[in-house]
Structure formats: C-alpha cells, structure tokens
Short mmCIF file of all heavy atoms in Angstrom, two decimals:
data_model
loop_
_atom_site.label_atom_id
_atom_site.label_comp_id
_atom_site.label_asym_id
_atom_site.label_seq_id
_atom_site.Cartn_x
_atom_site.Cartn_y
_atom_site.Cartn_z
N PRO A 1 0.84 -1.20 0.00
CA PRO A 1 -0.01 0.00 0.00
C PRO A 1 0.87 1.24 0.00
O PRO A 1 2.05 1.21 0.37
CB PRO A 1 -0.78 -0.14 1.33
CG PRO A 1 0.07 -0.98 2.19
CD PRO A 1 0.79 -1.93 1.27
N GLY A 2 0.29 2.33 -0.42
CA GLY A 2 1.04 3.61 -0.41
C GLY A 2 0.39 4.64 -1.32
O GLY A 2 -0.75 4.47 -1.77
N LYS A 3 1.14 5.71 -1.54
CA LYS A 3 0.65 6.84 -2.34
C LYS A 3 1.21 6.75 -3.73
O LYS A 3 2.28 6.23 -4.00
CB LYS A 3 1.04 8.14 -1.69
CG LYS A 3 0.54 8.35 -0.28
CD LYS A 3 1.14 9.58 0.33
CE LYS A 3 0.75 9.71 1.81
NZ LYS A 3 1.45 10.86 2.47
N VAL A 4 0.43 7.36 -4.71
CA VAL A 4 0.87 7.39 -6.09
C VAL A 4 0.22 8.61 -6.75
O VAL A 4 -0.89 8.99 -6.40
CB VAL A 4 0.51 6.10 -6.86
CG1 VAL A 4 -1.01 5.92 -6.93
CG2 VAL A 4 1.11 6.08 -8.26
N VAL A 5 0.95 9.24 -7.63
CA VAL A 5 0.37 10.31 -8.47
C VAL A 5 -0.05 9.66 -9.76
O VAL A 5 0.70 8.91 -10.39
CB VAL A 5 1.41 11.43 -8.75
CG1 VAL A 5 0.82 12.45 -9.69
CG2 VAL A 5 1.81 12.11 -7.44
N VAL A 6 -1.31 9.94 -10.17
CA VAL A 6 -1.87 9.31 -11.35
C VAL A 6 -1.99 10.35 -12.44
O VAL A 6 -2.68 11.37 -12.30
CB VAL A 6 -3.25 8.70 -11.04
CG1 VAL A 6 -3.78 7.94 -12.28
CG2 VAL A 6 -3.16 7.76 -9.86
N ALA A 7 -1.31 10.14 -13.55
CA ALA A 7 -1.34 11.05 -14.70
C ALA A 7 -1.65 10.27 -15.95
O ALA A 7 -1.16 9.14 -16.13
CB ALA A 7 0.00 11.78 -14.83
N GLY A 8 -2.47 10.84 -16.81
CA GLY A 8 -2.84 10.16 -18.03
C GLY A 8 -3.10 11.13 -19.17
O GLY A 8 -3.04 12.35 -18.97
N PRO A 9 -3.45 10.62 -20.33
CA PRO A 9 -3.67 11.46 -21.51
C PRO A 9 -5.03 12.15 -21.46
O PRO A 9 -5.94 11.75 -20.73
CB PRO A 9 -3.61 10.47 -22.66
CG PRO A 9 -4.06 9.18 -22.05
CD PRO A 9 -3.58 9.18 -20.61
N ALA A 10 -5.17 13.21 -22.26
CA ALA A 10 -6.43 13.95 -22.29
C ALA A 10 -7.27 13.60 -23.50
O ALA A 10 -8.42 14.06 -23.61
CB ALA A 10 -6.13 15.44 -22.34
N SER A 11 -6.79 12.72 -24.40
CA SER A 11 -7.58 12.38 -25.58
C SER A 11 -8.40 11.13 -25.33
O SER A 11 -7.95 10.20 -24.66
CB SER A 11 -6.66 12.19 -26.81
OG SER A 11 -6.17 10.88 -26.83
N THR A 12 -9.60 11.12 -25.88
CA THR A 12 -10.50 9.99 -25.72
C THR A 12 -9.89 8.71 -26.30
O THR A 12 -9.99 7.65 -25.70
CB THR A 12 -11.85 10.29 -26.40
OG1 THR A 12 -12.41 11.47 -25.83
CG2 THR A 12 -12.82 9.14 -26.20
N GLN A 13 -9.24 8.83 -27.44
CA GLN A 13 -8.66 7.64 -28.07
C GLN A 13 -7.56 7.04 -27.22
O GLN A 13 -7.49 5.81 -27.03
CB GLN A 13 -8.07 8.02 -29.44
CG GLN A 13 -7.49 6.82 -30.19
CD GLN A 13 -7.02 7.20 -31.58
OE1 GLN A 13 -7.29 8.29 -32.09
NE2 GLN A 13 -6.30 6.30 -32.24
N ASP A 14 -6.71 7.88 -26.61
CA ASP A 14 -5.63 7.36 -25.76
C ASP A 14 -6.19 6.74 -24.48
O ASP A 14 -5.67 5.73 -24.00
CB ASP A 14 -4.63 8.46 -25.43
CG ASP A 14 -3.74 8.82 -26.62
OD1 ASP A 14 -3.61 7.98 -27.52
OD2 ASP A 14 -3.19 9.91 -26.61
N VAL A 15 -7.20 7.40 -23.89
CA VAL A 15 -7.79 6.82 -22.68
C VAL A 15 -8.47 5.47 -23.00
O VAL A 15 -8.38 4.51 -22.23
CB VAL A 15 -8.81 7.79 -22.05
CG1 VAL A 15 -9.54 7.13 -20.87
CG2 VAL A 15 -8.09 9.06 -21.56
N ALA A 16 -9.10 5.40 -24.19
CA ALA A 16 -9.70 4.12 -24.61
C ALA A 16 -8.65 3.04 -24.75
O ALA A 16 -8.88 1.86 -24.41
CB ALA A 16 -10.46 4.31 -25.93
N THR A 17 -7.47 3.43 -25.23
CA THR A 17 -6.38 2.47 -25.35
C THR A 17 -5.98 1.93 -23.97
O THR A 17 -5.78 0.72 -23.81
CB THR A 17 -5.17 3.13 -26.02
OG1 THR A 17 -5.52 3.54 -27.35
CG2 THR A 17 -3.96 2.19 -26.09
N ILE A 18 -5.89 2.80 -22.99
CA ILE A 18 -5.56 2.37 -21.63
C ILE A 18 -6.64 1.46 -21.07
O ILE A 18 -6.36 0.40 -20.49
CB ILE A 18 -5.35 3.60 -20.72
CG1 ILE A 18 -4.11 4.37 -21.15
CG2 ILE A 18 -5.25 3.16 -19.25
CD1 ILE A 18 -3.94 5.69 -20.44
N LEU A 19 -7.88 1.85 -21.23
CA LEU A 19 -8.99 1.04 -20.71
C LEU A 19 -9.09 -0.32 -21.36
O LEU A 19 -9.59 -1.27 -20.76
CB LEU A 19 -10.32 1.80 -20.85
CG LEU A 19 -10.44 3.06 -19.98
CD1 LEU A 19 -11.76 3.78 -20.29
CD2 LEU A 19 -10.37 2.73 -18.51
N SER A 20 -8.59 -0.42 -22.59
CA SER A 20 -8.62 -1.73 -23.26
C SER A 20 -7.70 -2.74 -22.59
O SER A 20 -7.78 -3.93 -22.85
CB SER A 20 -8.26 -1.57 -24.73
OG SER A 20 -6.88 -1.25 -24.90
N THR A 21 -6.77 -2.23 -21.73
CA THR A 21 -5.82 -3.11 -21.05
C THR A 21 -6.32 -3.53 -19.67
O THR A 21 -5.62 -4.30 -18.96
CB THR A 21 -4.45 -2.43 -20.87
OG1 THR A 21 -4.57 -1.35 -19.93
CG2 THR A 21 -3.95 -1.87 -22.20
N VAL A 22 -7.50 -3.03 -19.25
CA VAL A 22 -8.03 -3.35 -17.93
C VAL A 22 -8.36 -4.83 -17.85
O VAL A 22 -9.12 -5.34 -18.69
CB VAL A 22 -9.27 -2.52 -17.59
CG1 VAL A 22 -9.83 -2.90 -16.25
CG2 VAL A 22 -8.94 -1.01 -17.61
N PRO A 23 -7.82 -5.57 -16.88
CA PRO A 23 -8.15 -6.99 -16.74
C PRO A 23 -9.66 -7.18 -16.54
O PRO A 23 -10.35 -6.31 -15.99
CB PRO A 23 -7.37 -7.41 -15.50
CG PRO A 23 -6.25 -6.43 -15.38
CD PRO A 23 -6.81 -5.14 -15.87
N SER A 24 -10.17 -8.32 -16.95
CA SER A 24 -11.60 -8.58 -16.91
C SER A 24 -12.16 -8.61 -15.49
O SER A 24 -13.37 -8.46 -15.28
CB SER A 24 -11.93 -9.88 -17.65
OG SER A 24 -11.29 -10.97 -17.01
N ASP A 25 -11.30 -8.84 -14.49
CA ASP A 25 -11.79 -8.94 -13.12
C ASP A 25 -11.70 -7.59 -12.38
O ASP A 25 -11.89 -7.54 -11.17
CB ASP A 25 -11.02 -10.01 -12.33
CG ASP A 25 -9.54 -9.66 -12.17
OD1 ASP A 25 -9.06 -8.79 -12.94
OD2 ASP A 25 -8.91 -10.24 -11.27
N CYS A 26 -11.41 -6.50 -13.10
CA CYS A 26 -11.27 -5.18 -12.45
C CYS A 26 -12.41 -4.26 -12.77
O CYS A 26 -13.00 -4.32 -13.89
CB CYS A 26 -9.97 -4.52 -12.92
SG CYS A 26 -8.46 -5.19 -12.22
N VAL A 27 -12.76 -3.40 -11.81
CA VAL A 27 -13.62 -2.26 -12.08
C VAL A 27 -12.68 -1.06 -12.29
O VAL A 27 -11.86 -0.75 -11.44
CB VAL A 27 -14.57 -1.96 -10.89
CG1 VAL A 27 -15.40 -0.75 -11.18
CG2 VAL A 27 -15.44 -3.18 -10.63
N ALA A 28 -12.79 -0.41 -13.43
CA ALA A 28 -11.93 0.72 -13.74
C ALA A 28 -12.50 2.00 -13.14
O ALA A 28 -13.72 2.26 -13.25
CB ALA A 28 -11.78 0.88 -15.24
N LEU A 29 -11.64 2.79 -12.50
CA LEU A 29 -12.04 4.11 -11.99
C LEU A 29 -11.30 5.15 -12.82
O LEU A 29 -10.07 5.18 -12.83
CB LEU A 29 -11.67 4.23 -10.49
CG LEU A 29 -12.31 3.22 -9.55
CD1 LEU A 29 -11.96 3.53 -8.12
CD2 LEU A 29 -13.82 3.20 -9.74
N LEU A 30 -12.05 5.99 -13.50
CA LEU A 30 -11.49 7.01 -14.41
C LEU A 30 -11.67 8.39 -13.77
O LEU A 30 -12.81 8.84 -13.61
CB LEU A 30 -12.19 6.93 -15.76
CG LEU A 30 -11.78 7.93 -16.83
CD1 LEU A 30 -10.29 7.76 -17.16
CD2 LEU A 30 -12.62 7.76 -18.08
N ASP A 31 -10.55 9.01 -13.43
CA ASP A 31 -10.58 10.28 -12.70
C ASP A 31 -10.37 11.45 -13.70
O ASP A 31 -9.47 11.37 -14.52
CB ASP A 31 -9.43 10.25 -11.68
CG ASP A 31 -9.34 11.53 -10.87
OD1 ASP A 31 -8.83 12.54 -11.40
OD2 ASP A 31 -9.76 11.52 -9.69
N GLY A 32 -11.24 12.46 -13.63
CA GLY A 32 -11.06 13.57 -14.55
C GLY A 32 -11.90 14.79 -14.18
O GLY A 32 -12.95 14.68 -13.54
N ALA A 33 -11.47 15.96 -14.58
CA ALA A 33 -12.18 17.21 -14.32
C ALA A 33 -13.14 17.54 -15.46
O ALA A 33 -12.91 17.10 -16.61
CB ALA A 33 -11.20 18.37 -14.12
N LEU A 34 -14.18 18.32 -15.18
CA LEU A 34 -15.16 18.66 -16.18
C LEU A 34 -14.55 19.43 -17.33
O LEU A 34 -14.99 19.33 -18.46
CB LEU A 34 -16.27 19.49 -15.53
CG LEU A 34 -17.59 19.57 -16.30
CD1 LEU A 34 -18.23 18.20 -16.43
CD2 LEU A 34 -18.55 20.54 -15.62
N SER A 35 -13.50 20.20 -17.06
CA SER A 35 -12.85 20.98 -18.10
C SER A 35 -12.15 20.10 -19.14
O SER A 35 -11.79 20.55 -20.22
CB SER A 35 -11.86 21.97 -17.49
OG SER A 35 -10.85 21.28 -16.76
N ARG A 36 -11.88 18.84 -18.79
CA ARG A 36 -11.29 17.92 -19.73
C ARG A 36 -12.12 16.62 -19.73
O ARG A 36 -11.60 15.52 -19.62
CB ARG A 36 -9.83 17.64 -19.38
CG ARG A 36 -9.57 17.22 -17.92
CD ARG A 36 -8.08 16.98 -17.69
NE ARG A 36 -7.85 16.39 -16.40
CZ ARG A 36 -7.64 17.03 -15.26
NH1 ARG A 36 -7.64 18.35 -15.26
NH2 ARG A 36 -7.40 16.39 -14.13
N LEU A 37 -13.43 16.81 -19.90
CA LEU A 37 -14.37 15.74 -19.65
C LEU A 37 -14.56 14.79 -20.84
O LEU A 37 -15.12 13.72 -20.67
CB LEU A 37 -15.73 16.33 -19.26
CG LEU A 37 -16.79 15.40 -18.70
CD1 LEU A 37 -16.31 14.73 -17.42
CD2 LEU A 37 -18.08 16.16 -18.46
N ALA A 38 -14.12 15.17 -22.05
CA ALA A 38 -14.46 14.38 -23.22
C ALA A 38 -14.21 12.89 -23.07
O ALA A 38 -15.06 12.07 -23.41
CB ALA A 38 -13.73 14.94 -24.45
N PRO A 39 -13.04 12.44 -22.55
CA PRO A 39 -12.84 11.01 -22.39
C PRO A 39 -13.79 10.34 -21.40
O PRO A 39 -13.89 9.12 -21.35
CB PRO A 39 -11.38 10.89 -21.93
CG PRO A 39 -10.74 12.17 -22.37
CD PRO A 39 -11.83 13.19 -22.24
N MET A 40 -14.51 11.15 -20.59
CA MET A 40 -15.46 10.57 -19.65
C MET A 40 -16.61 9.91 -20.37
O MET A 40 -17.41 9.15 -19.79
CB MET A 40 -15.96 11.64 -18.69
CG MET A 40 -16.54 11.12 -17.39
SD MET A 40 -15.36 10.18 -16.40
CE MET A 40 -14.24 11.46 -15.83
N SER A 41 -16.72 10.14 -21.70
CA SER A 41 -17.75 9.44 -22.49
C SER A 41 -17.47 7.93 -22.56
O SER A 41 -18.33 7.17 -23.01
CB SER A 41 -17.78 10.01 -23.93
OG SER A 41 -16.56 9.81 -24.60
N LEU A 42 -16.34 7.50 -22.08
CA LEU A 42 -16.01 6.07 -22.04
C LEU A 42 -16.54 5.43 -20.79
O LEU A 42 -16.50 4.18 -20.66
CB LEU A 42 -14.48 5.89 -22.12
CG LEU A 42 -13.82 6.44 -23.37
CD1 LEU A 42 -12.29 6.40 -23.22
CD2 LEU A 42 -14.27 5.67 -24.61
N ALA A 43 -17.05 6.22 -19.83
CA ALA A 43 -17.54 5.67 -18.58
C ALA A 43 -18.92 5.07 -18.77
O ALA A 43 -19.75 5.56 -19.52
CB ALA A 43 -17.59 6.75 -17.51
N THR A 44 -19.17 3.98 -18.05
CA THR A 44 -20.49 3.38 -18.03
C THR A 44 -21.36 3.95 -16.91
O THR A 44 -22.57 3.95 -16.98
CB THR A 44 -20.42 1.85 -17.87
OG1 THR A 44 -19.62 1.53 -16.71
CG2 THR A 44 -19.74 1.22 -19.09
N GLU A 45 -20.70 4.43 -15.85
CA GLU A 45 -21.36 5.11 -14.75
C GLU A 45 -20.53 6.31 -14.33
O GLU A 45 -19.28 6.27 -14.47
CB GLU A 45 -21.56 4.21 -13.53
CG GLU A 45 -22.51 3.02 -13.75
CD GLU A 45 -21.80 1.82 -14.37
OE1 GLU A 45 -20.55 1.74 -14.28
OE2 GLU A 45 -22.52 0.94 -14.93
#
C-alpha cells in the first residue's frame, strides 16, 4: 500500500487504449475534471 500520483492522456482515443488493457476482473475508476471531460464518455457510470 502507499501513495501514487496518477497522470494520463487527455484524448478519448488514448484513454480508450488504456482502458482496453483493464483486466476482466477489475472495475476501472477513471478520474477527470469537467474541463477535460471528453474521455469521460468512455464511462458506463
């Protein structure tokens, strides 16, 4: 356990690429601000 800084891309295509690597037994948590919300269209909830 511990702390980590999480940084990622701002483009929907790149975020989709990352999410395609999520193992089938994981729930993905996608963190983002409204000012850069476009990739949030990949969220199911």
